[in-house]
Amino acid sequence: MPQSPLLLVRSAELEAPDSAQAFRRRCPGLPGPGRSRTESGRRGEAGERKEGRAPQGRRARWRAERRAGNARGAGPEPPAGRVPAMALRLVSDFDLRKDVLPWLRAQRVASAAAGARGGGPGVLENNYESLRILNVERNGNVIYTYKDNKGNVFFGLYDCQTRQNEHLYTFEKDLHVVSCSVNSDRTLLAASLVHSTKEGRKNELQPGSKCLTLLVEIHPVNNVKVLKAVDSYIWVQFLYPHVESHPLPENHLLLVSEEKYIEKFHIQVIQEDGSRVVIKDSGHLPRERVAEDFVWAQWDMSEQRLYYIDLKKSRSILKCLQFSADEKFNLMFEAPLDITLSDSGFKLVNFGCDDLQDQENLSKHLTLCVFTNHTGSLCVCYSPKFDSWEKFTYSVFYFHKGHGKTFTAALGSVDSHVTKGLTFLNLDYYLAVYLPGHFFHLLNIQHPDLICHSLFLTGNSEVVDMLPHSPLQSLSGSLVLDWCSGKLYRALLNQSYLLQFLWNTQLDCEKMAVLHCVLSCGGDRRFLEAKIIQWISENISACHSFDLIQEFIIASSYWSMCPETSNMDKLLPYSSVLTWNTEIPGITLVTEEIALPFMKVHSFKGYWEKLNSNLEYVKYSKPHLHYNNSMVRREWHSLISEEKTGRRRSMVYVKNILDNATKVISNLEARNLEPRLTPLFQEADNHQRLLMGLMVSELKDHLLRHLQGVEKKKIEQMALDYVSKLLDLVCQIMETSWRKHSLHPCVPHFSGRASAAEFKVFHIMTRILEATKSLFLPLPPDLDNTEKNEKLKFSIIVRLPPLIGQKICRLWDHPMSSNIISRNHVKRLLQNYKKKPPSSVIHKSSFSVEFLPLNYFVEILTDIESSNQALYAFEGHDNVDAKFVEEAALKHTMMLLGL
C-alpha cells in the first residue's frame, strides 16, 4: 500500500530511559559469597579468618577487586561513569595468591607454634614458589600443589562453594606431579608423578625412569594403590556424576596414556567404622579400554564428554564419547577433519594443568580445541604451526552449519614477533580468538555465514593491549585459566565497552557486528534498547551498507525471542542483510563446505537433540525457513480488495484476525507504565488492524509447521510477543526522536516555517518509513480526508523544502497530493503568461460541468500547453495536464462548497 512519511507525523513525548543504574551487572556462574572461615587441616576444623576476606556479597567483592588493582587480574566492573577499554571481561573466580596462600601461611605459623610448644624444631620458612594449580573439577573445586623446603609434595583443595581450603595428602618424596584428580566425595585421590632431578626440574623420562600412577584413600588417609608404573606419562581424571546428592558406591577413573590409549577403572568403595571409606577389593579393579590409537584428546568436564582424534589412513577422524549419569558411555558421532596431525605429536586439552611443554614456544605448536553451547553448536578450532611473521592463519569448522572458514589475519610489520600461542575462548554465542599483542576476534558461531556478523580488532586496539599477555587455557563453558598467575576467570563480553565502541567505530562491518554482540549479552533489555536507539538517532545516515533502523528492529526482536525456545533461531530472521561483499580490513577469508558429523546414536536428549536438529536442518532445509512478511502482504491486499468490491470472507476469519490485533495493541500498552503521547497503533483503523492481526496469524502458522513438540497455546503467545516486539521498537524509535528534540502535542503547526528540530524529527520519520516499508510493518493509521486532516497534511508539505515536498507529492497517491501538484503546475504555466484576447467560442462539449470560471481557466491552460511544448520539460509532466488540473480544482471547489 502507498505509505507516506506524512502518516508518521504525530505529536509525541516520552519519558526518559532509566539511568545506568538499570544496566545491572550480569555475571552468571559466579559462586555464592560463602563464609569467611578457613579450615585448618581436615574439613570442619576451625581456622583463622582469611586475610582481607570479610563476609561479602558479589558487589562488595567487586569493590574489593577494584581496590586490588591489576594484582587481582583483568576485568572487574568499573565505577559508574568509567568504561574499561576491553571487549572482554575476565571476572576472577579463584586466585592462588589470595585464596590459598594466606591459609598456607596461617597453617605454617600454627605448625611452628605447635612444634615450639612440643620442643621440636618447628617449620622452616617457605616462599611457596612451587604453588600451582593442578586441576579444576566439574563442581568447580580447584586442586593445587606445592613443595616444602625438603621437596615433600602437598596436595590441597579449594572448595568454590564454601571458599575454604582443605589439605588432601602429602607425599614425603621429591616428586613432580604430572596429573591429579579427586572424586566427587573427596574420599579418593588419583595422581601421576615422576621423580625430580636435583635442580628441581622434572626428569624427562630418560631410560629407566618411571611414572607412577597412584590411587590414595584420603578419608581417612589409609591405603595407597599403584595403578600404573610405566615409562610414559599418564593423565588421570575422575568422572563426576550429574547427580551428587549422595555418595556413590562406585567411582570411575579415566587413565590417559602417552602411548595413545585411554582406560576406565571401576572403583568400588565401602564404608567402615562410621565415616571410614576404603576401596573394596583393591587387589582387583575392573577396567575397560575406552579409546586407542589416538593423537589428540580433549576433556569437557562440565558435560562429561571426551573428544579424541584417531588417524585412519592418514585421515583425521574426530570422535566423541558421552559419559552418562551411570558412567556408561556412548560413541555419539564421527566427523572427518581436513587437517594433518600425523607429525604433530601427542596433545591433550583440559586434562588438568601441566607444564610439560615449554610455554614460551607455544606459537610453534598447533592449537586444536572443540567448543559447544546450549543451542546445539559444534565448533572445532584449529591453528596450524606458526610459519610466518607477517600473518597468522586459523580455521573454524562450524559443523552445526555444514561449512568451515579459514581466517588469515595480518600481523603488521615483520618486527611483530609472535612468542605466545593462540587462545580460543568459548563465549556462548561467540568464540573469542586471541593472539596476545596482535589481535582479538569475536566470531559469531550462531550465525557465521556473513563475515560482517563477527568483530575483528587488530593489535593497535586498546582492547588487545589490555588483555593478559600470558597464555590462557579455556576450560569448559566460560571458564578461563591463566596458569602463569594461578587465576581462574569467567570470560564475559563487556556490554559497557561494546556500547561505547558502537559510538566510536567508523566501519559499517564493525557497527553491524557490535550491534549483535551487544544484543546477545542480554541484561536489562529495555535500557539497552534505549541506548542503541539513542545511538541510531545520532548516526541515522552514517551507514551505507545496511539500514540501521531495519537491522535494529530485526536483531533486537530476534535476540528477545530466540534464547527462550530451541529452533526459533532457524525460524525468525536474524539480520536484514542477506549478502555482504565488502572486505574486512586486515582479514582474508576462505569458506568451504565440510562433511557433516555422522551420528552414531539415534536416541537424543538435551544438547545432542539440538545438534541433531541443526544437522537435519543443514541437510534438508533449503531454502531457509526464516519467516518473512511476503504472505502477509498478499493476504492483506486480498482482504482490502475484497472489502472494496463488497465481497468478504467468513466473518469468523476476519474476527480472529481483528482479535489478534486487539491483543497486540493491548501488549503494546502493557509494555509502558504510562500511556504514550504518540498514539501509534491505537486508533480504530481497520486496515492497520487487519495488517497487525495477519502478521500474528501468519507467524503462528509458520511456527506451527516447523516447531515440533511445542504446545499450540505457547506458539500463539510467541507469535503475539514477536509481533508486539517489532511494533514496540518502531514506537520507541519514534518517541525517542520526538522527546530528544522537545516536540510537544502542539506540533506540527498549521502555519509558519518549521524549526530545525522539526526537520530533524521529520528526517527520522522518513527513515522509519523506509525501514518499515520493505518489512511491511503497519505504521500509524492512515488519516482520513476530513477538513482538519487535509489542513494538517497541507501545513506539513508547504513547510518542507520545495524539492522534498514535490517528490513526496508525486509519490503520494492522495487527493491533497493531487491538489498540490495541480497548483505547482498552474504556477509554472502562468509565470510568463501574457493575456490574450478572449476566445469568442467556448467548446462546452469538452467539459463535464457548466462552471464558466473553471471552463475559462482550463481553456487558458490548454492553449498554453498546446502552443509551447517546451513547458513539459520538468519532472512528472506526463502526469499533469489541463484535464488533471480541472479534475483537482473541481474536487477542491466542491469540497469547499460542501457539495
Side-chain angles (χ1 to χ4, degrees), residues 381-623:
C381 307
Y382 169 69
S383 174
K385 294 180 180 180
F386 182 71
D387 59 0
S388 171
W389 296 114
E390 298 178 356
K391 59 185 180 181
F392 203 100
T393 298
Y394 64 89
S395 300
V396 179
F397 301 96
Y398 304 95
F399 278 107
H400 58 293
K401 294 293 184 180
H403 65 258
K405 294 180 183 292
T406 297
F407 302 87
T408 301
L411 298 183
S413 65
V414 293
D415 297 329
S416 305
H417 293 307
V418 176
T419 59
K420 308 294 182 183
L422 192 69
T423 296
F424 294 99
L425 303 178
N426 188 4
L427 300 174
D428 201 13
Y429 297 107
Y430 285 83
L431 178 70
V433 186
Y434 167 47
L435 185 64
H438 293 277
F439 62 76
F440 178 81
H441 297 168
L442 280 175
L443 304 183
N444 190 324
I445 61 176
Q446 192 79 353
H447 295 278
D449 297 343
L450 299 183
I451 193 173
C452 61
H453 292 146
S454 298
L455 180 64
F456 301 89
L457 302 178
T458 65
N460 297 324
S461 170
E462 303 175 296
V463 180
V464 177
D465 295 334
M466 288 288 290
L467 289 170
H469 279 225
S470 56
L472 299 176
Q473 181 177 348
S474 182
L475 305 179
S476 296
S478 61
L479 277 179
V480 178
L481 176 64
D482 183 349
W483 63 269
C484 289
S485 64
K487 296 177 181 178
L488 190 65
Y489 300 104
R490 297 275 174 180
L492 306 168
L493 287 175
N494 190 332
Q495 209 171 45
S496 297
Y497 169 80
L498 292 172
L499 279 171
Q500 185 190 55
F501 189 88
L502 198 59
W503 281 89
N504 297 332
T505 184
Q506 300 299 314
L507 298 177
D508 280 8
C509 57
E510 291 184 344
K511 292 171 186 173
M512 171 76 79
V514 175
L515 176 63
H516 284 277
C517 279
V518 170
L519 290 170
S520 72
C521 295
D524 189 333
R525 189 161 293 279
R526 196 72 176 180
F527 171 81
L528 185 61
E529 288 167 352
K531 286 291 184 183
I532 296 176
I533 290 172
Q534 182 184 353
W535 168 70
I536 290 175
S537 66
E538 294 289 334
N539 298 271
I540 193 67
S541 301
C543 285
H544 305 287
S545 307
F546 64 98
D547 187 304
L548 267 182
I549 295 176
Q550 196 173 82
E551 187 67 17
F552 168 65
I553 291 172
I554 294 177
S556 189
S557 299
Y558 170 91
W559 283 110
S560 69
M561 295 292 295
C562 285
E564 298 177 5
T565 306
S566 61
N567 294 328
M568 283 289 281
D569 62 307
K570 305 179 189 69
L571 303 177
L572 294 179
Y574 172 80
S575 171
S576 64
V577 176
L578 300 179
T579 59
W580 185 275
N581 300 318
T582 308
E583 293 184 358
I584 307 291
I587 296 291
T588 56
L589 174 64
V590 176
T591 303
E592 295 180 325
E593 288 191 5
I594 59 176
L596 296 178
F598 177 68
M599 303 302 294
K600 306 289 285 186
V601 174
H602 302 290
S603 178
F604 304 108
K605 292 182 179 179
Y607 165 79
W608 298 110
E609 182 180 9
K610 295 175 183 177
L611 173 61
N612 188 61
S613 174
N614 287 335
L615 298 179
E616 294 295 307
Y617 176 77
V618 174
K619 289 178 187 176
Y620 305 115
S621 297
K622 293 184 179 180

Side-chain angles (χ1 to χ4, degrees), residues 653-894:
Y653 174 74
V654 176
K655 183 179 183 301
N656 286 338
I657 291 176
L658 293 178
D659 285 347
N660 288 338
T662 301
K663 294 175 183 177
V664 169
I665 293 174
S666 178
N667 257 12
L668 290 174
E669 292 173 349
R671 288 172 184 264
N672 293 273
L673 298 178
E674 297 182 7
R676 302 181 193 268
L677 292 182
T678 46
L680 307 185
F681 312 117
Q682 293 179 11
E683 293 91 338
D685 185 292
N686 246 19
H687 290 181
Q688 295 297 301
R689 283 176 176 258
L690 280 174
L691 184 51
M692 281 186 230
L694 276 174
M695 289 175 65
V696 176
S697 179
E698 292 294 335
L699 177 57
K700 181 187 69 176
D701 291 344
H702 179 75
L703 297 180
L704 283 171
R705 281 193 297 271
H706 303 291
L707 274 185
Q708 303 298 322
V710 182
E711 61 181 19
K712 183 178 180 181
K713 187 170 292 186
K714 185 175 181 181
I715 288 179
E716 289 175 351
Q717 188 61 47
M718 287 191 292
L720 180 63
D721 290 343
Y722 183 75
V723 173
S724 301
K725 183 67 179 180
L726 287 173
L727 303 185
D728 180 58
L729 292 172
V730 175
C731 293
Q732 285 190 57
I733 298 171
M734 172 73 178
E735 293 181 336
T736 298
S737 64
W738 210 280
R739 179 189 67 252
K740 176 184 175 183
H741 296 286
S742 302
L743 298 187
H744 299 286
C746 59
V747 178
H749 301 285
F750 291 147
S751 61
R753 298 292 298 172
S755 66
E758 290 176 81
F759 277 125
K760 289 180 180 178
V761 170
F762 188 80
H763 178 60
I764 292 285
M765 291 188 294
T766 59
R767 298 303 297 267
I768 293 174
L769 175 71
E770 292 173 9
T772 56
K773 186 176 180 181
S774 61
L775 296 178
F776 205 67
L777 298 179
L779 289 174
D782 291 312
L783 300 179
D784 57 26
N785 296 323
T786 62
E787 180 181 356
K788 177 183 177 182
N789 287 335
E790 290 287 343
K791 290 181 178 179
L792 173 62
K793 297 170 189 176
F794 183 73
S795 70
I796 295 168
I797 290 183
V798 296
R799 291 187 294 139
L800 291 174
L803 291 178
I804 295 179
Q806 288 180 22
K807 289 182 179 180
I808 289 176
C809 287
R810 297 189 180 282
L811 294 174
W812 186 27
D813 185 13
H814 191 275
M816 178 54 68
S817 177
S818 301
N819 190 0
I820 293 172
I821 292 173
S822 300
R823 293 184 184 210
N824 290 338
H825 180 69
V826 171
K827 180 180 179 182
R828 182 184 293 271
L829 289 178
L830 298 180
Q831 275 178 344
N832 300 313
Y833 173 69
K834 294 180 180 179
K835 188 176 181 180
K836 296 180 180 179
S839 174
S840 57
V841 180
I842 295 179
H843 303 287
K844 297 181 181 180
S845 61
S846 64
F847 304 108
S848 58
V849 177
E850 293 290 344
F851 183 52
L852 293 179
L854 180 59
N855 292 345
Y856 179 74
F857 179 61
V858 171
E859 184 180 278
I860 293 175
L861 296 182
T862 304
D863 184 56
I864 296 175
E865 289 173 348
S866 60
S867 63
N868 192 349
Q869 293 297 321
L871 290 174
Y872 282 91
F874 61 88
E875 184 182 359
H877 72 273
D878 54 327
N879 292 326
V880 184
D881 55 20
K883 184 69 175 175
F884 178 86
V885 172
E886 174 197 4
E887 293 173 355
L890 180 59
K891 181 172 182 179
H892 189 62
T893 303
M894 293 174 68

Side-chain angles (χ1 to χ4, degrees), residues 25 37 58 87 145 163-164 175 248 284 347 476 505 513 537 636 638 649 678 685 746 748 794 822 894:
R25 299 179 178 91
R37 182 178 64 83
R58 287 186 186 177
T145 185
R163 294 193 168 278
Q164 297 173 5
L175 300 169
L248 295 177
H284 176 69
K347 178 74 174 177
S476 296
T505 184
S537 66
W636 187 83
S638 176
R649 299 183 209 185
T678 46
D685 185 292
C746 59
F794 183 73
S822 300
M894 293 174 68

Side-chain angles (χ1 to χ4, degrees), residues 45-113:
E45 298 178 8
E48 294 188 11
R49 185 178 298 272
K50 286 187 181 181
E51 296 178 2
R53 280 291 182 130
Q56 52 189 349
R58 287 186 186 177
R59 197 171 296 274
R61 290 203 304 277
W62 278 321
R63 288 195 293 268
E65 287 169 356
R66 289 199 293 269
R67 288 195 297 268
N70 291 334
R72 182 65 173 171
E77 188 77 353
R82 289 182 55 205
V83 179
M86 297 175 64
L88 194 66
R89 281 199 306 130
L90 298 179
V91 181
S92 180
D93 258 16
F94 171 78
D95 185 343
L96 270 177
R97 297 290 165 182
K98 295 193 175 184
D99 292 313
V100 174
L101 195 54
W103 176 75
L104 291 177
R105 287 173 174 162
Q107 292 285 92
R108 186 189 66 222
V109 171
S111 178

